[in-house]
């Protein structure tokens, strides 16, 4: 009996590490930052970080879903950019068009990715790599390569608004999306299927899960969230531009991976991704505060991705 | 003969578990020594100590009279010890020659000398009387051929001591025979072999001595001549052979599943049969005869070209697995790790994955119901686990199989197809699975069992269908079935 109890405890400890190891890293980073520069802890700075990570945060959540199924979505950046262009481009058709247009575009683009991946059995990397170029080209063609300036005034609160005069509305949107998606993942059959498909597509199919349909929806969601992030971006900057999302897919993948999502699929959490994006956000904030040039910042960002992943690998080994 | 390997008073503790308790094991030079025991008996732990992958908590290991100090697989190789794991370690896209010499390529200056490597490979394979296409990537070869490449690899390292961990687990009967011939020829060459297996008959065919472990304890070592199957089973499980298979039922049988003219090009050819409520219908045949394909076709996992499936006398359309499930069909797949389970998910999640939609409450999964269902099947199937939240990957083979069964039982299937339900699981768990199958059939479920193990087919089935080359080549009742008759139909005899 005692043995069984022991086993239980050690198992709990293992999952504890798995769940909160990155949180620990975040806390350490937090403490280091506040020691290095007193400006870091000022509410204004913290709220600024919250705003800076919101757009990429929403994209990362979509990316996490895709990675959980064992896939990857390289086309989120261009989808975001097209979304931003549509907000600006559709403004004369009214705010409903300017708001719903980007969402529909993102959703359809994602569903299309998912459909090609599942129906023609092409690797997600290849399909979304192609899609990345296609959607960039679409955006450039639509805007003739120029920025489209001006977004509907009534939508600007999305990107620029502050609740109670201080909290960026973007950040509230990000947290809400994170909570909703986390609940879906944890408590609905759809969420369970997402993990199952990433863990073992064949077993999932033979358990009666419509693997193709769930996969298509997941890519749809990723596209939808990228489109939504595009609305925030456009209303924040008050401009739409075809290259706004460049490189964003890499940041989103990095956030998911730092947060403990396995690129093999089947394991990871939204909570982890939120931690991951916070790690990236806080680090770049620190580097800005201590005046590290932006070229050198890239070196640090790259290092943190690798270091965080190595650290995770270490506990994975320990817990086995 | 002298002892080449002595493992003395070995104890191995993991946090909370004593995997080996004061086990003593020795191997004579040039013998085939079978190591037996149920899953979890400690066989693999014992072998890991030899591979350098782990060290004992206490106890000593001597190899050729000297203490074994190997720390890495490479050290072990240098001592002439080769371990052939159950999961083969070949690079699928390389050919046999490249695999045999992987990491130890024969070089001509700085370049790989393919000619010499091929020549040496051919010599080794010839000495074992094996014919294998050396040009194609090994993924295109059968599992048995891949295993033979592993053996050739061991010999190419001049291994004098080979450990085979359940080498027959995924082989057909013919392939197993071929493997035994190789084991015999290795023995003639003076190679010492430790042979781990669940299959009793194999032990008697090739081993000189047998050592039995149970729950991490040493039970005993016997010369093969002084022991018979039933006493060996008693050593392993404390149970008699006659108690393995439950009684055949005599429940009144009515047809539930009728298959007519089922065909799939190149795989299934005009299959006709009926499965009745309350019976165990065995499907025998060689691997590749279309048994699994038939199951997959009925379950909607593969498309069919023509044919009719009737359930309770009514024709049903099955295009995908979910359609079959709605008709009350369940399918326990042959390979539980790659097709049955989602290893990263918990026992609870695996058991409930197929019925989540029926236990939702306003779009959310009802956790309370889910736990109740998981708990019910963990109890009734006696799944050994500290918690329903344990991941499937951490369970033993027998318990994993029970989880897959639990998944279908939770759906209350009326027809359940089991493909090789006891492959790779120990005798104790096998008996439990047999009893469960019989209990299901006694309660009116139609149980269809595909198996390559003839004693299992004969012991369990009320009726046996024998398949050959995509056809049903014969049908035998429980009274008339014998191994010879099954083989006759499986190898080519006709009605």
């Amino acid at each position: 009996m005692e043995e069984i109890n022991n086993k239980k405890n050690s198992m709990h400890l293992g999952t504890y590490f798995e769940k909160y190891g990155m949180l620990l890293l975040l806390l350490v980073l937090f403490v280091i930052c506040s020691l290095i520069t007193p400006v870091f802890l000022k509410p204004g700075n913290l709220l600024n970080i919250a705003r800076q990570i919101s757009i990429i945060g929403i994209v990362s959540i979509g990316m996490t879903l895709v990675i959980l199924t064992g896939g990857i979505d390289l086309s989120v950046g261009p989808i975001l950019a097209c979304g931003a262009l549509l907000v600006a481009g559709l403004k004369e058709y009214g705010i409903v068009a300017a708001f719903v247009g980007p969402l529909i575009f993102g959703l359809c683009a994602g569903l299309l990715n998912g459909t090609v991946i599942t129906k023609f059995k092409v690797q997600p990397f290849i399909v979304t790599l192609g899609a990345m170029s296609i959607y960039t080209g679409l955006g450039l063609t639509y805007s003739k390569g120029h920025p489209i300036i001006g977004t509907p005034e009534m939508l600007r609160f999305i990107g620029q608004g502050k609740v109670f005069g201080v909290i960026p509305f973007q950040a509230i949107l990000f947290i809400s999306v994170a909570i909703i998606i986390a609940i879906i993942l944890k408590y609905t059959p759809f969420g369970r299927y997402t993990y199952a498909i990433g863990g073992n597509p064949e077993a999932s199919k033979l358990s009666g899960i419509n693997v193709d349909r769930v996969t298509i929806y997941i890519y749809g969601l990723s596209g939808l969230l990228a489109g939504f992030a595009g609305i925030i971006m456009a209303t924040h900057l008050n401009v739409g531009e075809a290259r706004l999302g460049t490189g964003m897919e890499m940041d989103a993948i990095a956030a998911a991976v730092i947060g403990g999502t396995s690129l093999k699929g089947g394991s990871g959490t939204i909570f982890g991704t939120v931690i991951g994006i916070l790690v990236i956000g806080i680090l770049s904030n620190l580097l800005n505060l201590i005046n590290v040039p932006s070229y050198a910042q890239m070196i640090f960002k790259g290092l943190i991705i690798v270091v965080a992943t190595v650290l995770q690998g270490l506990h994975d080994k320990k817990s086995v | 003969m002298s002892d080449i390997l002595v493992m003395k008073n070995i104890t191995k503790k993991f946090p909370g578990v004593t995997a080996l308790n004061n086990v003593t094991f020795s191997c004579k030079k040039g013998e085939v020594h079978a190591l037996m025991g149920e899953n979890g008996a400690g066989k693999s732990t014992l072998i890991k100590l030899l591979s350098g992958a782990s060290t004992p908590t206490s106890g000593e290991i001597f190899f050729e009279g000297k203490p074994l100090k190997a720390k890495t697989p490479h050290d072990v190789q240098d001592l002439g010890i080769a371990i052939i794991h159950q999961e083969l370690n070949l690079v699928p896209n390389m050919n046999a020659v490249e695999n045999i010499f992987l990491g130890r390529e024969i070089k001509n200056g700085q370049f790989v000398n393919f000619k010499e490597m091929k020549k040496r490979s051919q010599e080794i394979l010839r000495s074992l009387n094996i014919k294998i296409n050396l040009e194609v990537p090994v993924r295109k070869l059968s599992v048995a051929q891949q295993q033979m490449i592993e053996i050739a690899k061991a010999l190419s390292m001049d291994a004098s001591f080979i450990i085979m961990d359940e080498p027959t687990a995924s082989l057909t009967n013919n392939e197993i025979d071929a493997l035994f011939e190789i084991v015999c020829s290795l023995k003639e060459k003076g190679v010492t072999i430790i042979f781990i297996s669940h299959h009793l008959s194999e032990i008697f065919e090739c081993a000189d001595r047998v050592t039995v472990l149970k729950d991490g304890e040493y039970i005993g070592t016997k010369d093969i001549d002084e022991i018979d199957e039933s006493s060996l089973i008693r050593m392993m499980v404390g149970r008699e052979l006659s108690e393995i298979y439950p009684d055949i039922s005599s429940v009144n049988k009515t047809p539930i599943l009728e298959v007519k003219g089922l065909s799939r090009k190149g795989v299934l050819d005009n299959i006709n049969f009926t499965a009745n409520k309350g019976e165990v219908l065995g499907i025998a045949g060689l691997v590749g005869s279309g048994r699994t394909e038939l199951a997959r076709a009925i379950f909607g996992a593969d498309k069919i070209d023509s044919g009719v499936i009737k359930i309770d006398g009514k024709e049903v359309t099955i295009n995908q697995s979910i359609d079959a499930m709605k008709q009350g069909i369940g399918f326990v797949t042959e390979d539980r790790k790659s097709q049955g389970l989602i290893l990263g998910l918990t026992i609870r999640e695996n058991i409930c994955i197929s019925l989540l939609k029926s236990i939702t409450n306003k779009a959310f999964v009802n956790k309370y119901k889910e736990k109740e269902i998981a708990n019910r099947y963990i109890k009734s199937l006696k799944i050994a686990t500290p918690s329903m939240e344990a991941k499937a990957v951490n369970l033993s083979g027998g318990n994993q199989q029970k989880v897959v069964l639990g998944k279908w039982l939770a759906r209350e299937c009326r027809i359940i197809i089991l493909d090789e339900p006891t492959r790779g699981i120990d005798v104790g768990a096998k008996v439990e699975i047999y009893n469960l199958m019989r209990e299901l059939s006694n309660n009116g479920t139609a149980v269809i069992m595909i198996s390559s193990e003839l004693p299992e087919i004969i012991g369990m089935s009320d009726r046996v269908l024998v398949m050959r080359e995509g056809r049903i080549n014969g049908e035998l009742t429980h009274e008339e079935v014998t191994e010879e008759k099954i083989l006759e139909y499986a190898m080519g005899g006709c009605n």
Side-chain angles (χ1 to χ4, degrees), chain A residues 163-188:
Chain A
V163 178
F164 308 127
V166 281
I167 305 166
F169 187 58
Q170 289 190 22
I172 291 177
L173 289 174
F174 168 43
I175 307 266
S176 313
V177 167
I179 291 173
I180 293 168
I181 300 288
I183 288 174
I184 291 176
L185 271 184
K186 194 150 189 219
Y187 297 108
T188 67

mmCIF file of all heavy atoms in Angstrom, chain A residues 163-188:
data_model
loop_
_atom_site.group_PDB
_atom_site.id
_atom_site.type_symbol
_atom_site.label_atom_id
_atom_site.label_comp_id
_atom_site.label_asym_id
_atom_site.label_seq_id
_atom_site.Cartn_x
_atom_site.Cartn_y
_atom_site.Cartn_z
ATOM 1 N N VAL A 163 -9.131 50.142 -20.994
ATOM 2 C CA VAL A 163 -10.217 49.963 -20.043
ATOM 3 C C VAL A 163 -9.797 50.626 -18.740
ATOM 4 O O VAL A 163 -8.652 50.461 -18.296
ATOM 5 C CB VAL A 163 -10.502 48.464 -19.830
ATOM 6 C CG1 VAL A 163 -11.602 48.246 -18.798
ATOM 7 C CG2 VAL A 163 -10.879 47.832 -21.158
ATOM 8 N N PHE A 164 -10.736 51.330 -18.119
ATOM 9 C CA PHE A 164 -10.449 52.139 -16.913
ATOM 10 C C PHE A 164 -9.297 53.109 -17.175
ATOM 11 O O PHE A 164 -8.578 53.489 -16.262
ATOM 12 C CB PHE A 164 -10.073 51.257 -15.703
ATOM 13 C CG PHE A 164 -11.060 50.171 -15.416
ATOM 14 C CD1 PHE A 164 -10.655 48.846 -15.302
ATOM 15 C CD2 PHE A 164 -12.414 50.473 -15.255
ATOM 16 C CE1 PHE A 164 -11.574 47.847 -15.050
ATOM 17 C CE2 PHE A 164 -13.330 49.470 -14.990
ATOM 18 C CZ PHE A 164 -12.919 48.157 -14.895
ATOM 19 N N GLY A 165 -9.108 53.440 -18.440
ATOM 20 C CA GLY A 165 -8.066 54.405 -18.763
ATOM 21 C C GLY A 165 -6.640 53.886 -18.692
ATOM 22 O O GLY A 165 -5.712 54.592 -19.041
ATOM 23 N N VAL A 166 -6.450 52.638 -18.250
ATOM 24 C CA VAL A 166 -5.073 52.132 -18.163
ATOM 25 C C VAL A 166 -4.836 50.789 -18.856
ATOM 26 O O VAL A 166 -3.839 50.604 -19.559
ATOM 27 C CB VAL A 166 -4.600 51.979 -16.686
ATOM 28 C CG1 VAL A 166 -4.190 53.315 -16.111
ATOM 29 C CG2 VAL A 166 -5.661 51.321 -15.826
ATOM 30 N N ILE A 167 -5.757 49.841 -18.668
ATOM 31 C CA ILE A 167 -5.497 48.499 -19.179
ATOM 32 C C ILE A 167 -5.771 48.439 -20.680
ATOM 33 O O ILE A 167 -6.875 48.738 -21.125
ATOM 34 C CB ILE A 167 -6.380 47.459 -18.465
ATOM 35 C CG1 ILE A 167 -6.175 47.563 -16.959
ATOM 36 C CG2 ILE A 167 -6.076 46.059 -18.963
ATOM 37 C CD1 ILE A 167 -7.225 46.831 -16.163
ATOM 38 N N PRO A 168 -4.769 48.057 -21.464
ATOM 39 C CA PRO A 168 -4.982 47.991 -22.924
ATOM 40 C C PRO A 168 -6.096 46.977 -23.240
ATOM 41 O O PRO A 168 -6.073 45.859 -22.728
ATOM 42 C CB PRO A 168 -3.646 47.499 -23.464
ATOM 43 C CG PRO A 168 -2.671 47.615 -22.352
ATOM 44 C CD PRO A 168 -3.435 47.628 -21.081
ATOM 45 N N PHE A 169 -7.048 47.388 -24.078
ATOM 46 C CA PHE A 169 -8.147 46.497 -24.444
ATOM 47 C C PHE A 169 -7.618 45.247 -25.162
ATOM 48 O O PHE A 169 -8.129 44.150 -24.994
ATOM 49 C CB PHE A 169 -9.133 47.261 -25.335
ATOM 50 C CG PHE A 169 -10.389 46.481 -25.635
ATOM 51 C CD1 PHE A 169 -11.193 46.017 -24.603
ATOM 52 C CD2 PHE A 169 -10.763 46.206 -26.943
ATOM 53 C CE1 PHE A 169 -12.343 45.295 -24.877
ATOM 54 C CE2 PHE A 169 -11.910 45.481 -27.225
ATOM 55 C CZ PHE A 169 -12.709 45.022 -26.190
ATOM 56 N N GLN A 170 -6.547 45.434 -25.932
ATOM 57 C CA GLN A 170 -5.889 44.300 -26.614
ATOM 58 C C GLN A 170 -5.575 43.172 -25.652
ATOM 59 O O GLN A 170 -5.781 42.002 -25.944
ATOM 60 C CB GLN A 170 -4.527 44.751 -27.158
ATOM 61 C CG GLN A 170 -4.573 45.667 -28.304
ATOM 62 C CD GLN A 170 -3.163 45.813 -28.872
ATOM 63 O OE1 GLN A 170 -2.306 44.965 -28.676
ATOM 64 N NE2 GLN A 170 -2.950 46.882 -29.584
ATOM 65 N N ALA A 171 -5.032 43.579 -24.491
ATOM 66 C CA ALA A 171 -4.616 42.574 -23.521
ATOM 67 C C ALA A 171 -5.821 41.810 -23.005
ATOM 68 O O ALA A 171 -5.771 40.585 -22.811
ATOM 69 C CB ALA A 171 -3.868 43.227 -22.370
ATOM 70 N N ILE A 172 -6.927 42.531 -22.822
ATOM 71 C CA ILE A 172 -8.140 41.862 -22.353
ATOM 72 C C ILE A 172 -8.631 40.870 -23.408
ATOM 73 O O ILE A 172 -9.040 39.751 -23.101
ATOM 74 C CB ILE A 172 -9.214 42.914 -22.010
ATOM 75 C CG1 ILE A 172 -8.739 43.660 -20.760
ATOM 76 C CG2 ILE A 172 -10.570 42.259 -21.797
ATOM 77 C CD1 ILE A 172 -9.636 44.774 -20.335
ATOM 78 N N LEU A 173 -8.549 41.289 -24.678
ATOM 79 C CA LEU A 173 -8.943 40.382 -25.758
ATOM 80 C C LEU A 173 -8.068 39.122 -25.744
ATOM 81 O O LEU A 173 -8.563 37.994 -25.874
ATOM 82 C CB LEU A 173 -8.817 41.074 -27.117
ATOM 83 C CG LEU A 173 -9.843 42.167 -27.398
ATOM 84 C CD1 LEU A 173 -9.508 42.872 -28.698
ATOM 85 C CD2 LEU A 173 -11.249 41.570 -27.458
ATOM 86 N N PHE A 174 -6.765 39.332 -25.574
ATOM 87 C CA PHE A 174 -5.821 38.205 -25.568
ATOM 88 C C PHE A 174 -6.165 37.228 -24.441
ATOM 89 O O PHE A 174 -6.306 36.019 -24.667
ATOM 90 C CB PHE A 174 -4.392 38.749 -25.400
ATOM 91 C CG PHE A 174 -3.357 37.707 -25.099
ATOM 92 C CD1 PHE A 174 -3.330 36.489 -25.767
ATOM 93 C CD2 PHE A 174 -2.385 37.950 -24.130
ATOM 94 C CE1 PHE A 174 -2.357 35.540 -25.484
ATOM 95 C CE2 PHE A 174 -1.413 37.001 -23.832
ATOM 96 C CZ PHE A 174 -1.405 35.787 -24.508
ATOM 97 N N ILE A 175 -6.350 37.766 -23.232
ATOM 98 C CA ILE A 175 -6.664 36.899 -22.092
ATOM 99 C C ILE A 175 -7.975 36.155 -22.347
ATOM 100 O O ILE A 175 -8.094 34.956 -22.077
ATOM 101 C CB ILE A 175 -6.807 37.733 -20.797
ATOM 102 C CG1 ILE A 175 -5.591 38.599 -20.591
ATOM 103 C CG2 ILE A 175 -7.108 36.830 -19.597
ATOM 104 C CD1 ILE A 175 -4.515 38.073 -19.739
ATOM 105 N N SER A 176 -8.962 36.876 -22.911
ATOM 106 C CA SER A 176 -10.263 36.233 -23.147
ATOM 107 C C SER A 176 -10.111 35.081 -24.135
ATOM 108 O O SER A 176 -10.639 33.986 -23.922
ATOM 109 C CB SER A 176 -11.271 37.231 -23.712
ATOM 110 O OG SER A 176 -11.237 38.412 -22.966
ATOM 111 N N VAL A 177 -9.390 35.347 -25.238
ATOM 112 C CA VAL A 177 -9.187 34.284 -26.233
ATOM 113 C C VAL A 177 -8.493 33.094 -25.573
ATOM 114 O O VAL A 177 -8.891 31.939 -25.745
ATOM 115 C CB VAL A 177 -8.336 34.801 -27.425
ATOM 116 C CG1 VAL A 177 -7.866 33.645 -28.291
ATOM 117 C CG2 VAL A 177 -9.144 35.783 -28.257
ATOM 118 N N ALA A 178 -7.463 33.399 -24.764
ATOM 119 C CA ALA A 178 -6.721 32.312 -24.113
ATOM 120 C C ALA A 178 -7.650 31.479 -23.243
ATOM 121 O O ALA A 178 -7.620 30.243 -23.287
ATOM 122 C CB ALA A 178 -5.578 32.884 -23.282
ATOM 123 N N ILE A 179 -8.488 32.165 -22.461
ATOM 124 C CA ILE A 179 -9.372 31.423 -21.548
ATOM 125 C C ILE A 179 -10.381 30.579 -22.336
ATOM 126 O O ILE A 179 -10.582 29.403 -22.053
ATOM 127 C CB ILE A 179 -10.086 32.399 -20.591
ATOM 128 C CG1 ILE A 179 -9.052 32.993 -19.624
ATOM 129 C CG2 ILE A 179 -11.191 31.687 -19.812
ATOM 130 C CD1 ILE A 179 -9.589 34.092 -18.729
ATOM 131 N N ILE A 180 -10.991 31.212 -23.363
ATOM 132 C CA ILE A 180 -12.002 30.473 -24.134
ATOM 133 C C ILE A 180 -11.393 29.224 -24.777
ATOM 134 O O ILE A 180 -11.921 28.118 -24.664
ATOM 135 C CB ILE A 180 -12.626 31.379 -25.226
ATOM 136 C CG1 ILE A 180 -13.445 32.476 -24.550
ATOM 137 C CG2 ILE A 180 -13.500 30.552 -26.168
ATOM 138 C CD1 ILE A 180 -13.874 33.589 -25.493
ATOM 139 N N ILE A 181 -10.255 29.409 -25.435
ATOM 140 C CA ILE A 181 -9.639 28.268 -26.120
ATOM 141 C C ILE A 181 -9.188 27.215 -25.104
ATOM 142 O O ILE A 181 -9.344 26.007 -25.316
ATOM 143 C CB ILE A 181 -8.440 28.710 -26.991
ATOM 144 C CG1 ILE A 181 -8.892 29.721 -28.052
ATOM 145 C CG2 ILE A 181 -7.776 27.512 -27.655
ATOM 146 C CD1 ILE A 181 -9.720 29.174 -29.170
ATOM 147 N N ALA A 182 -8.666 27.674 -23.956
ATOM 148 C CA ALA A 182 -8.235 26.706 -22.939
ATOM 149 C C ALA A 182 -9.422 25.884 -22.458
ATOM 150 O O ALA A 182 -9.320 24.664 -22.278
ATOM 151 C CB ALA A 182 -7.575 27.429 -21.773
ATOM 152 N N ILE A 183 -10.567 26.536 -22.279
ATOM 153 C CA ILE A 183 -11.767 25.812 -21.826
ATOM 154 C C ILE A 183 -12.210 24.813 -22.888
ATOM 155 O O ILE A 183 -12.511 23.658 -22.595
ATOM 156 C CB ILE A 183 -12.899 26.806 -21.484
ATOM 157 C CG1 ILE A 183 -12.549 27.540 -20.185
ATOM 158 C CG2 ILE A 183 -14.230 26.082 -21.344
ATOM 159 C CD1 ILE A 183 -13.511 28.633 -19.815
ATOM 160 N N ILE A 184 -12.209 25.270 -24.136
ATOM 161 C CA ILE A 184 -12.600 24.351 -25.221
ATOM 162 C C ILE A 184 -11.686 23.122 -25.226
ATOM 163 O O ILE A 184 -12.139 21.983 -25.300
ATOM 164 C CB ILE A 184 -12.520 25.066 -26.594
ATOM 165 C CG1 ILE A 184 -13.614 26.124 -26.676
ATOM 166 C CG2 ILE A 184 -12.659 24.061 -27.740
ATOM 167 C CD1 ILE A 184 -13.587 26.954 -27.944
ATOM 168 N N LEU A 185 -10.379 23.379 -25.100
ATOM 169 C CA LEU A 185 -9.425 22.266 -25.151
ATOM 170 C C LEU A 185 -9.633 21.294 -23.997
ATOM 171 O O LEU A 185 -9.527 20.093 -24.147
ATOM 172 C CB LEU A 185 -7.991 22.797 -25.086
ATOM 173 C CG LEU A 185 -7.331 23.134 -26.408
ATOM 174 C CD1 LEU A 185 -5.899 23.539 -26.164
ATOM 175 C CD2 LEU A 185 -7.383 21.949 -27.375
ATOM 176 N N LYS A 186 -9.905 21.846 -22.838
ATOM 177 C CA LYS A 186 -9.937 21.009 -21.651
ATOM 178 C C LYS A 186 -11.273 20.301 -21.462
ATOM 179 O O LYS A 186 -11.323 19.155 -21.015
ATOM 180 C CB LYS A 186 -9.619 21.866 -20.435
ATOM 181 C CG LYS A 186 -9.302 21.029 -19.237
ATOM 182 C CD LYS A 186 -8.342 21.681 -18.277
ATOM 183 C CE LYS A 186 -7.983 20.603 -17.291
ATOM 184 N NZ LYS A 186 -7.829 20.866 -15.975
ATOM 185 N N TYR A 187 -12.354 20.986 -21.783
ATOM 186 C CA TYR A 187 -13.647 20.457 -21.343
ATOM 187 C C TYR A 187 -14.581 19.988 -22.445
ATOM 188 O O TYR A 187 -15.657 19.491 -22.153
ATOM 189 C CB TYR A 187 -14.365 21.504 -20.488
ATOM 190 C CG TYR A 187 -13.612 21.824 -19.219
ATOM 191 C CD1 TYR A 187 -12.950 23.033 -19.058
ATOM 192 C CD2 TYR A 187 -13.547 20.894 -18.182
ATOM 193 C CE1 TYR A 187 -12.253 23.321 -17.903
ATOM 194 C CE2 TYR A 187 -12.845 21.172 -17.026
ATOM 195 C CZ TYR A 187 -12.195 22.382 -16.891
ATOM 196 O OH TYR A 187 -11.506 22.644 -15.747
ATOM 197 N N THR A 188 -14.207 20.160 -23.728
ATOM 198 C CA THR A 188 -15.150 19.712 -24.760
ATOM 199 C C THR A 188 -14.574 18.495 -25.493
ATOM 200 O O THR A 188 -13.367 18.292 -25.507
ATOM 201 C CB THR A 188 -15.407 20.810 -25.819
ATOM 202 O OG1 THR A 188 -14.188 21.018 -26.538
ATOM 203 C CG2 THR A 188 -15.845 22.109 -25.176
#
